Amino acid sequence: ERLIEVSRDLTEGGRHALVVEDDPAARQLVVRALESSGFQVDEAANGQEGLERIAAHRPDLVLLDLMMPVMHGFEFMERLREDAATRDLPVIVLTAKELSASEREFLQSQTDHVLQKGEPGTELLLPLVRRTVAESRERRSRS
């Protein structure tokens, strides 16, 4: 409920996001919040589906869970960054996983932000999404 309330802070529409999350309830929560803020949202239940969705229609942003069947989030990130066409795609990780120091270091080098599910900071997701998309567009316009 708080996530949806905070989503009202996003006033610019027309953005395209991909939510890669195996838990249907968690996925729907994020999807509803993004849609209510003007995002067009695609969904994937695992990393392999996520890569297929990106190949079909590149989003402006990916919101990624780490622990999923078929292809987990770490492998998804490796494959995403190996491809020149998706290397610069902004990614926000949403995870309940206790991260080791090496996992956190990897994610900090490969993603834009890492948020732990259930932490108070999670309610700031949508302002973070807005800032991440704006920063990505600014970087692309300078290239």
Side-chain angles (χ1 to χ4, degrees), residues 3 19 21-32 43 117:
L3 183 63
V19 177
E21 164 70 64
D22 66 318
D23 179 349
R27 187 173 61 239
Q28 283 306 304
L29 178 66
V30 175
V31 167
R32 279 194 316 265
E43 303 174 43
K117 291 178 182 175

Side-chain angles (χ1 to χ4, degrees), residues 53-70:
R53 299 272 192 279
I54 291 169
H57 184 153
R58 181 189 160 107
D60 296 310
L61 174 73
V62 175
L63 290 98
L64 175 68
D65 183 28
L66 293 177
M67 303 310 297
M68 297 176 290
V70 183

Side-chain angles (χ1 to χ4, degrees), residues 74-117:
F74 291 102
E75 183 179 351
F76 173 90
M77 285 304 307
E78 289 172 356
R79 302 231 345 239
L80 193 71
R81 297 307 185 220
E82 288 172 354
D83 185 344
T86 58
R87 187 169 292 138
D88 65 341
L89 187 59
V91 176
I92 295 175
V93 170
L94 302 171
T95 187
K97 182 181 183 343
E98 286 289 325
L99 298 171
S100 69
S102 62
E103 289 170 332
R104 186 165 291 284
E105 184 177 316
F106 171 81
L107 291 173
Q108 287 175 341
S109 71
Q110 300 296 315
T111 67
D112 292 85
H113 300 281
V114 177
L115 294 176
Q116 290 291 134
K117 291 178 182 175

